[in-house]
């Protein structure tokens, strides 16, 4: 049962990290286009919340170590950054699939069977991509993380631009 609990925890935490990162990115886009500087503290707060979720996830999975001063990204920073990007890729894969499913429904309603069949094949391929992303996340958290010897706090270089 513990394995199922950990897998469910990972899945929810990964989606939480991805959605926080997506919200952060959307606010950065708005700030970049409008120069509304009031958004900068909100962006920093979302980034801090995302990092907090990462810390909680790593703590729950007992992925830990000591902080080291390194010129380049540490092993855990690289793990964290990979997980953040895989989480965002998972969400984008889901959103892409949803959009293709809506297009598939349109083809079916308009009697375009050949187009619907081709799109159905592509949707199945996206489901395979999604499963691969999930497998990569599980492998990183349950296998690769156990092989790391250096583990400072959860962040990547892009997260260093905020005040701590």
């Amino acid at each position: 049962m513990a394995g199922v609990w950990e897998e469910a925890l990972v899945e929810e935490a990964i989606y939480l990290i991805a959605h926080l990162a997506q919200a952060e990115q959307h606010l950065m886009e708005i700030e970049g286009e409008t120069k509304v500087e009031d958004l900068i503290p909100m962006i920093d707060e979302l980034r801090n919340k995302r990092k907090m979720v990462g810390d909680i996830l790593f703590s729950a999975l007992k992925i830990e170590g000591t902080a080291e001063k390194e010129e380049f990204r540490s092993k855990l920073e690289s793990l964290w950054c990979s997980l953040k990007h895989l989480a965002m890729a998972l969400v984008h894969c889901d959103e892409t699939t949803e959009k293709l499913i809506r297009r598939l429904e349109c083809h079916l309603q308009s009697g375009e069977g050949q187009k619907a069949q081709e799109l159905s094949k592509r949707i199945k391929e996206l489901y395979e991509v999604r499963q691969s992303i999930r497998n990569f996340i599980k492998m990183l958290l349950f296998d690769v993380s156990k092989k790391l010897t250096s583990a400072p706090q959860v962040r990547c270089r892009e997260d260093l631009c905020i005040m701590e």
Side-chain angles (χ1 to χ4, degrees):
M1 189 69 164
V4 172
W5 180 86
E6 282 186 342
E7 195 171 313
L9 169 70
V10 167
E11 181 122 0
E12 292 304 324
I14 290 297
Y15 272 102
L16 177 55
I17 290 165
H19 286 293
L20 287 169
Q22 289 298 115
E24 180 185 334
Q25 187 169 357
H26 287 304
L27 287 176
M28 285 191 290
E29 290 169 4
I30 293 170
E31 193 278 328
E33 291 174 10
T34 63
K35 307 297 183 218
V36 176
E37 292 181 10
D38 295 350
L39 297 176
I40 294 172
M42 293 173 67
I43 293 166
D44 288 346
E45 184 65 22
L46 285 171
R47 184 170 291 140
N48 280 324
K49 297 301 181 198
R50 178 172 43 81
K51 289 169 45 181
M52 183 186 304
V53 173
D55 285 331
I56 292 166
L57 175 62
F58 281 20
S59 174
L61 296 177
K62 296 180 177 48
I63 300 171
E64 53 194 35
T66 57
E68 294 180 8
K69 295 282 184 197
E70 296 184 22
E71 185 174 338
F72 298 104
R73 188 176 287 164
S74 72
K75 294 174 186 93
L76 193 64
E77 286 173 328
S78 292
L79 176 68
W80 165 246
C81 200
S82 297
L83 286 170
K84 178 181 72 172
H85 289 287
L86 285 169
M88 292 174 74
L90 188 63
V91 169
H92 283 296
C93 187
D94 288 348
E95 289 178 355
T96 302
T97 303
E98 286 175 24
K99 285 173 177 51
L100 288 180
I101 288 171
R102 279 190 233 123
R103 186 177 288 180
L104 172 68
E105 290 169 349
C106 289
H107 288 317
L108 289 172
Q109 288 175 357
S110 62
E112 299 174 280
Q114 184 67 27
K115 287 182 180 179
Q117 195 172 33
E118 180 60 31
L119 208 48
S120 179
K121 179 181 159 194
R122 295 298 182 186
I123 290 168
K124 288 176 185 173
E125 291 170 348
L126 274 177
Y127 283 136
E128 290 173 12
V129 169
R130 184 185 193 284
Q131 188 58 44
S132 294
I133 294 169
R134 289 183 78 240
N135 289 339
F136 285 134
I137 290 169
K138 286 170 45 178
M139 182 181 65
L140 287 174
L141 286 173
F142 294 114
D143 299 330
V144 173
S145 67
K146 307 301 183 233
K147 299 174 185 174
L148 301 178
T149 56
S150 163
Q153 74 180 59
V154 174
R155 66 182 185 194
C156 67
R157 294 289 180 218
E158 292 77 18
D159 293 334
L160 296 178
C161 64
I162 61 169
M163 301 294 282
E164 292 187 2

